[in-house]
Amino acid sequence: MSNNVQKVYMTVSIDTECDHDPNWVRANPLTFESINEGVPNRLQTAFNSVGAVPTYLLTVEVMEDATCVETLRSLQGEFELGTHLHAAFIEPHKKYHNYAGVDSPDFQSGYAQDIEFRKLENLSNLFVDSFGYRPTSFRAGRFGAAPQSLNSLQKLGYKVDTSVTPHVRWTAPNAVVDFRRAPSQPYFPAEDQIIVPGDYSPDRILEVPVTIMPRLLRRAPIWFRPWFASVDQMKKIFHYHLKQHADREVININMMFHSMEVIEKASPYPQSAEDVERFINEMLEGLNWCKEEGVEFCGLSSLHESFRQAA
């Protein structure tokens, strides 16, 4: 650690969805190899080997599938389950009842606040029906969250949102979200804000940004993420955040990716068994290096208490 930093927490936040195709369209017919093979036999086994604690953020179609729910209920090791919303897949104003072969470009924040709240409420209730307890961690599909999203999540008892991607602006047919000026470390947002930090209050949700490093000369920022960053680049991003936030007692490195990325041809990324092996090996090498640097692995919701104490 450096300067004032006493603790670095490492989270791994995974958008956990049905299989897609190389064009990011959902598989047709709909398949769940990502869940039933990828999560228990590829991802969780890898995380167990290094002591990482992943947070699997579950979509509607995963929780509606009985086999997927049973797979996740039987998962061995340390992990957290949370939720992940693609707004077109749940009432009210549900657009698709058959998810095979479709895309879901809409941002949840593009809906009226009462509609978005009811969608999040229905998603949360589906989680309770599936697992018997309330979820406390969340990410918006396509990162499409806004201040109203945080207000709704807070009312529903969530502790952590991880929708913010610093240095990035996203557009959808029904909304735009701009996170270019967002903080890069976890913060308690000000009232009715999503990228503006405020004072801590006991019931306020914690925003945990995805770990991203900006680059000069208008080059795209680089994510702390397998496939998108080499192991050497992950090390560079890690050191960048330690240096940038050396005045903090506690910092977080938040890796993200999709469950489908460990199944060949189920996303635009690994297209062969060799690609998947490389993905997992480089992910593990990066996580193991972070462990040697002294990080503490934890699920997303655990960060709320840690950053509450720091606040």
Side-chain angles (χ1 to χ4, degrees):
M1 306 304 174
S2 60
N3 297 340
N4 200 46
V5 177
Q6 297 178 16
K7 182 75 72 174
V8 179
Y9 290 101
M10 170 72 67
T11 49
V12 184
S13 50
I14 303 167
D15 295 353
T16 306
E17 310 181 17
C18 65
D19 304 333
H20 287 51
D21 69 16
N23 297 312
W24 266 138
V25 173
R26 284 158 184 81
N28 189 7
L30 204 64
T31 56
F32 294 95
E33 189 178 359
S34 162
I35 310 301
N36 297 313
E37 164 64 23
V39 169
N41 300 326
R42 301 185 183 186
L43 286 174
Q44 191 62 39
T45 299
F47 293 133
N48 289 345
S49 73
V50 73
V53 184
T55 300
Y56 300 103
L57 302 165
L58 312 179
T59 51
V60 170
E61 73 276 10
V62 170
M63 291 187 284
E64 288 179 343
D65 185 87
T67 301
C68 290
V69 170
E70 181 56 33
T71 294
L72 293 164
R73 287 173 68 99
S74 303
L75 204 55
Q76 300 296 308
E78 285 194 76
F79 60 89
E80 177 181 344
L81 301 179
T83 57
H84 180 53
L85 179 62
H86 287 280
F89 288 0
I90 201 162
E91 298 289 359
H93 303 318
K94 181 171 180 171
K95 289 186 176 181
Y96 303 108
H97 293 269
N98 179 3
Y99 313 126
V102 303
D103 196 4
S104 58
D106 288 353
F107 286 168
Q108 64 183 65
S109 58
Y111 291 85
Q113 184 167 355
D114 63 324
I115 299 299
E116 182 185 9
F117 177 84
R118 288 162 61 197
K119 285 179 177 289
L120 288 166
E121 184 177 43
N122 289 338
L123 178 76
S124 304
N125 289 340
L126 178 59
F127 184 99
V128 173
D129 291 343
S130 300
F131 301 104
Y133 61 93
R134 299 207 66 82
T136 53
S137 55
F138 175 83
R139 180 152 51 227
R142 299 181 183 265
F143 310 102
Q148 69 178 40
S149 311
L150 297 190
N151 294 340
S152 294
L153 289 166
Q154 191 167 292
K155 288 178 184 176
L156 292 165
Y158 284 85
K159 293 182 177 181
V160 170
D161 174 67
T162 180
S163 302
V164 167
T165 54
H167 317 295
V168 183
R169 177 180 183 270
W170 303 99
T171 62
N174 68 334
V176 174
V177 293
D178 191 343
F179 299 138
R180 287 175 293 184
R181 296 184 180 275
S184 58
Q185 282 296 306
Y187 58 97
F188 294 96
E191 186 175 356
D192 295 321
Q193 298 288 338
I194 190 169
I195 65 168
V196 178
D199 295 329
Y200 166 76
S201 62
D203 62 344
R204 190 54 169 152
I205 195 168
L206 179 71
E207 182 59 50
V208 179
V210 176
T211 296
I212 299 173
M213 184 181 75
R215 294 195 289 181
L216 300 175
L217 304 175
R218 296 190 177 183
R219 291 187 296 170
I222 186 166
W223 299 44
F224 190 87
R225 176 175 176 178
W227 199 261
F228 282 66
S230 67
V231 175
D232 284 343
Q233 286 173 320
M234 284 192 263
K235 293 177 181 179
K236 184 176 181 180
I237 297 167
F238 182 95
H239 283 304
Y240 169 84
H241 280 269
L242 256 64
K243 182 178 180 180
Q244 288 293 113
H245 305 288
D247 59 332
R248 289 173 168 255
E249 291 184 10
V250 180
I251 71 171
N252 169 244
I253 303 296
N254 183 24
M255 174 186 285
M256 78 78 56
F257 57 91
H258 302 81
S259 58
M260 306 84 76
E261 295 178 44
V262 296
I263 301 297
E264 49 269 32
K265 299 182 180 179
S267 79
Y269 311 130
Q271 297 297 300
S272 66
E274 292 76 19
D275 286 346
V276 170
E277 183 177 13
R278 173 193 141 199
F279 181 104
I280 293 174
N281 287 343
E282 291 188 353
M283 177 189 75
L284 278 178
E285 186 178 346
L287 291 175
N288 197 56
W289 178 85
C290 290
K291 182 179 180 180
E292 292 170 351
E293 291 293 301
V295 306
E296 181 174 322
F297 294 115
C298 69
L300 279 173
S301 294
S302 298
L303 292 176
H304 190 279
E305 177 64 16
S306 301
F307 281 86
R308 181 197 68 79
Q309 292 178 0

